[in-house]
Amino acid sequence: MGEYLLACDEGTSSARSVLFDRDGNVASSAQLELQSAFPNDGWVEQDANATWEAQHSSIDHALERFGVSPSALHAVGITNQRETTIVWDRTTGEPIGPAITWQCRRTASRCDALKAANDTAWISGRTGLKVDPYFSATKIRWMLDNDPALQRRANDGELAFGTVDSWLVFKLTAGSVHAIDRTNASRTLLMDLRHGIWDDELLAFFDIPKAMMPTIVPSCGILGITAGEVLGVEVPIAGIAGDQQAALVGQGCFTPNAAKLTYGTGAFLLVHTGSEPRTSNAGLLSTTAASLTNGAEFALEGSVFSAGSTIQWLRDNLGVLSSAAESEAMATSVPDSAGVFLVPAFEGLGAPHWDAKARGAIVGLTRAADRSHLVRAALESMALQTFDLIDALEADTGERISELRVDGGAAMNDFLLQFQADVLDRPVVRPKNLESTVRGAAHLAAVATDFWSELTYEVNQRFEPNMTVSEREAKLSGWRDALRAVL
Ligand code: ADP
């Protein structure tokens, strides 16, 4: 029985490792940046070996920084960027190529062709998703299409598919466990959402051999033991959830209509819907929520592909910011965005618009606009996209979300949260602990191994709406015009 629980968070922009004590406090953490490659228009890749090495190093750093040895560990929880697809050789553990990340749109034309040739409504009914390049299925197919020998090896069970959780579990167990948790599996376009099993008809439709698929395991429960030669200790891996589902747990959203929004690279809204999957008519996805009791729980989800990444783009590509944090001071240095709207459709638009081919635009420029207005418009675009999601969701469920709990890297930005509360016309709540994702992963592993049973939720700041109706209407109408220009 070690004294610390290790939560691994393999995100899009970083690999983090966090040690929690039995009171749920963070004892130590370490983080390493991850690189993405953009080899083609709309393509996004990562080096799977590099992501594992970054995760492994961050575990070592978190332990070293706190001066404890691996034997102090009690259990491991995992959370990860979802949908990102890795295929590797089961024997050597070597990936067959770069990981195709969730942001990658390379299979957009394949998805269009599938939709043109088939009625795909049954796929949405079965998976809660839609045929879109975002999900893993067409990414796997793309990898196998590249080389006929790979198809044969996949059929023969020589190749393994996994999302990032599967990859970390495979590495942490020195290749002895090939698993995926139910929340991650629900993002592949290959799982029967209601029953939590691989669907043979979906596998056949996407032409993906079952022999390469991992075992679907519950989000809360022991699924494997870390290998001594990898981590220096043999401890249970006891909880996994995809990043958004982990954040739903970490934000304490366990009952119907409880909602959280994570502003990271993308922005993700999840609303718990209880023990029944709900279908959406407004372009939201139906997905699995991580269950603490191994029951079936569900959520509705809307995703914005480019949120914090728009700030990164302003920093790295345009050089108008020296850091993401600087965006707040720049945005508040001007009274408004001077009529500028930025539609960050770098990788197409997700819910509720679902246009894989849309590309970004800056509209409303006059000679009065400067970089502060552009930065302000970028932050506003994060909140306006969120408004569209919530608007669509409420149209679907006919129920009002009373408040929005927020987290993720950009939730540090007070300007963003106030503007979010203003356009939504309801409170936005920031918890004291912004690490909802990693806390959610830790909570799943902690519950499964009796490390702790309760998760405390403390508020850091509540942002109350403070915008006149006419101001709000003008903002929303300008945004709708800008969207029309790119759709
Ligand atoms: P992920 O888990 O997707 O890697 P994080 O939750 O770590 O992302 O958030 C990082 C993102 O948030 C980056 O895209 C960064 O540009 C953005 N970000 C970080 N701090 C701020 C800030 N103060 N204001 C606006 N955006 C920010």
Side-chain angles (χ1 to χ4, degrees):
M1 292 284 274
E3 300 140 82
Y4 300 100
L5 194 138
L6 166 67
C8 297
D9 177 2
E10 181 89 60
T12 307
S13 52
S14 71
R16 306 190 57 223
S17 294
V18 180
L19 299 185
F20 287 90
D21 67 19
R22 279 186 192 271
D23 297 322
N25 300 314
V26 173
S28 179
S29 71
Q31 174 164 344
L32 290 172
E33 280 223 4
L34 293 175
Q35 303 303 319
S36 294
F38 307 93
N40 231 319
D41 176 33
W43 290 33
V44 191
E45 296 178 348
Q46 282 184 331
D47 176 341
N49 281 326
T51 59
W52 158 245
E53 279 152 25
Q55 190 66 60
H56 196 187
S57 302
S58 76
I59 297 172
D60 291 344
H61 292 176
L63 289 166
E64 278 162 22
R65 203 170 268 179
F66 195 50
V68 291
S69 76
S71 61
L73 295 180
H74 172 87
V76 178
I78 293 174
T79 182
N80 58 289
Q81 51 167 307
R82 306 169 304 168
E83 297 99 12
T84 294
T85 298
I86 306 171
V87 174
W88 66 91
D89 183 308
R90 276 184 203 281
T91 314
T92 65
E94 269 307 303
I96 62 161
I100 301 181
T101 80
W102 59 277
Q103 296 158 302
C104 187
R105 313 305 293 172
R106 77 182 61 188
T107 60
S109 52
R110 171 181 290 273
C111 289
D112 289 345
L114 284 173
K115 284 185 283 191
N118 303 277
D119 178 5
T120 55
W122 68 276
I123 298 178
S124 303
R126 201 134 339 149
T127 61
L129 311 176
K130 53 186 66 235
V131 176
D132 187 271
Y134 183 25
F135 307 109
S136 311
T138 57
K139 299 184 200 284
I140 306 175
R141 195 54 251 161
W142 192 94
M143 288 187 183
L144 299 182
D145 279 346
N146 254 352
D147 177 350
L150 292 176
Q151 180 70 49
R152 181 194 56 72
R153 293 173 63 204
N155 293 342
D156 293 349
E158 291 173 23
L159 300 182
F161 152 73
T163 43
V164 169
D165 58 319
S166 317
W167 177 239
L168 293 185
V169 167
F170 182 82
K171 288 292 183 184
L172 285 166
T173 61
S176 66
V177 180
H178 182 212
I180 185 171
D181 99 291
R182 189 164 169 168
T183 65
N184 277 291
S186 78
R187 316 296 299 178
T188 58
L189 208 54
L190 299 167
M191 191 186 85
D192 173 329
L193 177 66
R194 185 175 288 274
H195 301 104
I197 51 173
W198 298 126
D199 185 300
D200 290 330
E201 284 173 320
L202 289 167
L203 289 166
F205 181 83
F206 289 106
D207 192 16
I208 291 169
K210 203 170 193 172
M212 72 191 302
M213 301 302 284
T215 306
I216 301 176
V217 297
S219 302
C220 181
I222 294 172
L223 62 117
I225 304 291
T226 59
E229 74 263 32
V230 178
L231 216 53
V233 66
E234 292 182 11
V235 286
I237 304 173
I240 305 181
D243 48 14
Q244 303 318 316
Q245 282 90 344
L248 196 66
V249 170
Q251 287 272 23
C253 298
F254 298 115
T255 51
N257 278 326
K260 75 88 203 168
L261 183 89
T262 301
Y263 301 104
T265 305
F268 296 87
L269 174 74
L270 253 77
V271 183
H272 205 286
T273 60
S275 57
E276 278 298 310
R278 278 186 96 143
T279 50
S280 167
N281 304 311
L284 281 100
L285 305 171
S286 192
T287 197
T288 303
S291 171
L292 293 171
T293 58
N294 198 6
E297 292 179 33
F298 300 93
L300 276 172
E301 168 170 338
S303 16
V304 166
F305 295 145
S306 299
S309 60
T310 312
I311 303 300
Q312 281 173 338
W313 176 75
L314 290 174
R315 185 193 65 187
D316 301 340
N317 295 49
L318 298 197
V320 300
L321 288 168
S322 56
S323 70
E326 199 196 348
S327 63
E328 181 169 353
M330 277 184 78
T332 52
S333 73
V334 289
D336 54 42
S337 70
V340 176
F341 287 90
L342 193 163
V343 183
F346 300 106
E347 286 105 12
L349 287 172
H353 312 292
W354 291 106
D355 185 343
K357 293 201 176 128
R359 289 293 176 268
I362 299 167
V363 304
L365 288 174
T366 65
R367 285 296 298 270
D370 66 22
R371 61 194 187 131
S372 300
H373 299 111
L374 186 60
V375 168
R376 188 169 171 126
L379 291 171
E380 290 185 357
S381 78
M382 293 165 70
L384 289 161
Q385 293 178 96
T386 302
F387 172 87
D388 288 345
L389 281 181
I390 293 192
D391 199 41
L393 183 108
E394 291 182 339
D396 253 359
T397 60
E399 287 168 46
R400 187 176 157 90
I401 291 164
S402 56
E403 64 173 35
L404 187 64
R405 294 183 169 187
V406 296
D407 54 56
M412 291 298 288
N413 191 312
D414 287 0
F415 167 79
L416 170 65
L417 300 199
Q418 184 58 52
F419 184 77
Q420 186 71 76
D422 289 345
V423 290
L424 277 177
D425 195 21
R426 73 199 74 181
V428 167
V429 182
R430 178 169 63 199
K432 259 196 189 140
N433 194 319
L434 273 181
E435 310 267 17
S436 313
T437 308
V438 82
R439 269 162 67 83
H443 189 52
L444 291 164
V447 169
T449 57
D450 294 323
F451 189 68
W452 69 56
S453 56
E454 292 286 327
L455 196 68
T456 50
Y457 186 85
E458 289 176 279
V459 174
N460 161 268
Q461 196 168 339
R462 225 178 132 80
F463 296 83
E464 297 290 345
N466 180 26
M467 188 184 247
T468 65
V469 176
S470 60
E471 266 180 287
R472 184 178 308 115
E473 285 309 319
K475 214 22 136 178
L476 293 173
S477 137
W479 171 246
R480 279 189 286 267
D481 288 346
L483 272 177
R484 258 195 298 278
V486 307
L487 285 170

